[in-house]
Amino acid sequence: MKTKISSIALSIIFLGLADCKSSDKDDGYRLWLRYDQIENESVLNDYKQIIQNIIVTGESPTIFAAREEILYGLSALFGAEVPVNKEVKEGCLLIGTPESSSVINGYFKGDTISAIGNEGYSIFSTQSEGYKITVITGNTDVGILYGVFHFLKLLQTRQSIAELNIASKPGIQNRLLNHWDNLDRKVERGYAGFSLWKWNTLPDYIDPRYKDYARANASVGINGTVLTNVNANAQVLTPEYLEKVAALADVFRPYGIRVYLTARFSAPIEIGGLRTADPLQKNVIEWWNNKAKEIYSYIPDFGGFLVKANSEGQPGPQNYGRSHAEGANLLARAVKPYNGIVMWRAFVYSNEEPEDRAKQAYNEFKPLDGKFEDNVLIQVKNGPIDFQPREPFHPLFGAMEQTPVMMEFQVTQEYLGQDIHLTYLAPLYEECLHSDTYAKGTGSEVFKVINGSLFNYNETGIAGVSNIGDDRNWCGHPIAQANWYALGQLAWDPEAASQEIAEEWIRMTYSNNQEVIDTMLKIMMISREAGVNYRTPLGLHHQMAWHHHYGPGPWIKDKPRADWTSAYYNKADETGIGFDRTKTGSNAVSQYFSPLTELFGNIETCPEELLLWFHHVPWNYKMKSGNTLWEELCMKYYQGTDQVREMQTKWNSLEGKIDDERFKHVQSLLKIQVRDAIEWRNACLLYYQTFSKMPIPEKYEQPDQTLEYYMKVDRKYLPGS
Ligand code: GCW
């Protein structure tokens, strides 16, 4: 799928020289599209030698967007305007499709450019009539826009542009953000302010930010956005709102971004005046068909629907005794004439069933494989519970041969410190994407499921639950921008390495100074593991406080639903701790392919990082290190707090090397994170200790508060819940 030839590691030529003075202020608004002037004279001169003038051919809103970006980006980076030419001369940056430029056409002799499809691009250095030139091309205008962003990235990350030969195309078709944004602008699990969408002033007022949002997404290849919360409100499907949605779609369209909406299954009742939403009833079918027609009259390239049905109180086909397939197909048929898709979420677990929650989605959907219309994708969270700091991959990846399964990652940090803790999530994404499902033997990794190559899916997709709000810096925590960036990069190339993505992002967003890069890389690359260690090491999960999910709450029990409590998941008692998902327990291991069933199912071979996910383990069980389980648990929790302190020390060393504004912001947040990590560690260990009855080894700093103290911590009014 991927034919990317440039490698940041290979072609970095210019290192050193900080681009930022410590007195600089940067509020983070520009994200990774800062285009600060290149300060290193020799680098700048080399670039200016190669790019002396520009030609952009073609006429379309997308080409205009590409032209605006390249002119703005280059003049900002160069500190001088680059002249726009009509004819090719020495040092020309020639941009266009083979159709719009006869010179470019000459290189491809009338053929479309194979290997880059209809969204990819090619960037190459070449000669035209004796002049050295650089070409950015694609088969489509949006391919060119992506190429322009890639080219600007080369300059922003100070790579050589002398001998370019780059071809790149996306590995996944539908690359989306999911906004859990409500119509009152509150964002479910959103921590970066209110929703960007100002429904009350749309469609008349177009906030300039909408365009910057589109630019940022296009720069990482995101081509779709679901505007509304999966806990859906049917009102968004009324004409009053469709007009507003259409206005947003108009802003996003030049940037290759389609809009999607969440469909509330009971909409025919709530806004249509019907008595039922039964998917097999004629009037319900008609209602959705008409609704789709109406939506497309407002938004001709509307992407389709995302649906959460029969999950956590949302209505769905099962209310009428119908299956998920019958529900999904109803909507799929309605949007099919217009090339729309339906993304039907597999995040379901029943109120009534006593079955292990981790097993329920598979049990529900596996029997429906092959029963869906061909424009339905099943959207599956990365793990079988719910975006925990660490989960094994969801067993539905690999289980659905005939129905496309798409990925849902959470970019917003619901369980990983929200907008306060520094957590770079790409290592989590990478771990999941590279997990081998063994669906067709060794080498059946999750990324091959979602890029469609394993089962030849006709549609492929990936979605990230957005962490964006109207905070000036978009994502709350300054480093959280990296998670938005990484989601886009992995959607484009699901095999990309999290560390390379981080390096690019640091270079563009902070500095090309090697010391800054090295330091920030170390902090970012350890941050997710640190977060696992101080919250839920060794496969523990769902130990967070009730409702807001921010702090610790391993003692949570006796709530209306057992599977919303921590005790349900830790199963801590005098004999040990952990959830038995082997044959003697819930047998969730049987949902995986062999050899994983056996590997996970055997306490001796189960990876220790998932041990308590799959096993109830005695407190004095001997771990590979020689420690007992209790000692190992203590060791991990203390390692977690040490790692955060290490992150803090490293960050402090950046003072004066990056701008003061963001330096101080992260510095302050890290102080809170250290405090919180200690709270997590102490609270969890003190609680588990009531069962293990073993001491926290003396070599560790002992908790300075009692369990009762931690149990009384009551955070009120946290955002997002
Ligand atoms: O992660 C959980 C959240 C809910 C969310 C749900 C889901 C939108 O706590 O707030 O609801 O999952 O993914 O549907």
Side-chain angles (χ1 to χ4, degrees), residues 17-266:
L17 271 203
D19 283 307
C20 231
K21 293 174 224 84
S22 59
S23 57
D24 284 350
K25 279 187 137 333
D26 193 321
D27 60 16
Y29 181 83
R30 292 174 298 162
L31 296 158
W32 48 89
L33 302 174
R34 293 163 84 233
Y35 307 137
D36 277 341
Q37 190 179 336
I38 298 166
E39 290 192 339
N40 184 320
E41 289 281 332
S42 84
V43 174
L44 186 57
N45 288 337
D46 280 346
Y47 284 164
K48 281 184 169 172
Q49 184 72 30
I50 296 167
I51 306 300
Q52 299 175 24
N53 52 78
I54 301 192
I55 300 179
V56 185
T57 63
E59 304 249 330
S60 73
T62 299
I63 289 294
F64 296 147
R67 174 182 303 162
E68 186 178 55
E69 195 73 29
I70 193 77
L71 291 177
Y72 165 62
L74 278 185
S75 60
L77 284 157
F78 286 5
E81 274 187 24
V82 183
V84 178
N85 267 359
K86 289 233 160 69
E87 275 163 38
V88 172
K89 292 196 187 132
E90 180 67 18
C92 178
L93 177 60
L94 174 62
I95 301 174
T97 60
E99 256 176 38
S100 67
S101 156
S102 57
V103 176
I104 295 179
N105 197 20
Y107 297 107
F108 301 101
K109 307 207 172 46
D111 283 348
T112 52
I113 314 164
S114 54
I116 57 169
N118 55 12
E119 284 183 298
Y121 53 84
S122 164
I123 308 175
F124 56 93
S125 314
T126 184
Q127 301 245 339
S128 175
E129 294 177 12
Y131 299 129
K132 280 194 187 150
I133 67 165
T134 307
V135 173
I136 303 178
T137 186
N139 293 316
T140 57
D141 292 349
V142 77
I144 286 176
L145 180 69
Y146 292 147
V148 158
F149 278 114
H150 187 107
F151 185 76
L152 287 166
K153 174 162 81 181
L154 297 177
L155 304 186
Q156 286 180 283
T157 56
R158 309 290 188 266
Q159 297 185 62
S160 169
I161 55 166
E163 299 291 335
L164 293 175
N165 184 14
I166 295 168
S168 182
K169 71 169 181 179
I172 295 178
Q173 294 165 320
N174 300 290
R175 308 178 296 280
L176 283 85
L177 285 183
N178 288 182
H179 289 267
W180 286 356
D181 294 18
N182 296 320
L183 299 183
D184 64 2
R185 297 191 62 212
K186 285 191 187 139
V187 182
E188 181 154 352
R189 310 306 175 185
Y191 313 100
F194 282 98
S195 167
L196 286 185
W197 326 132
K198 296 181 171 160
W199 296 110
N200 46 347
T201 51
L202 278 165
D204 301 290
Y205 174 58
I206 302 297
D207 187 330
R209 206 163 180 172
Y210 301 150
K211 180 170 154 186
D212 286 333
Y213 166 85
R215 288 176 54 230
N217 278 327
S219 77
V220 289
I222 287 170
N223 67 358
T225 180
V226 183
L227 300 175
T228 46
N229 191 352
V230 287
N231 290 330
N233 184 332
Q235 288 305 316
V236 79
L237 302 178
T238 60
E240 185 195 347
Y241 276 90
L242 289 176
E243 213 187 327
K244 300 169 193 280
V245 173
L248 288 174
D250 290 343
V251 181
F252 301 159
R253 189 170 298 113
Y255 290 89
I257 298 163
R258 294 171 121 193
V259 302
Y260 299 74
L261 293 172
T262 44
R264 187 158 159 93
F265 204 77
S266 50

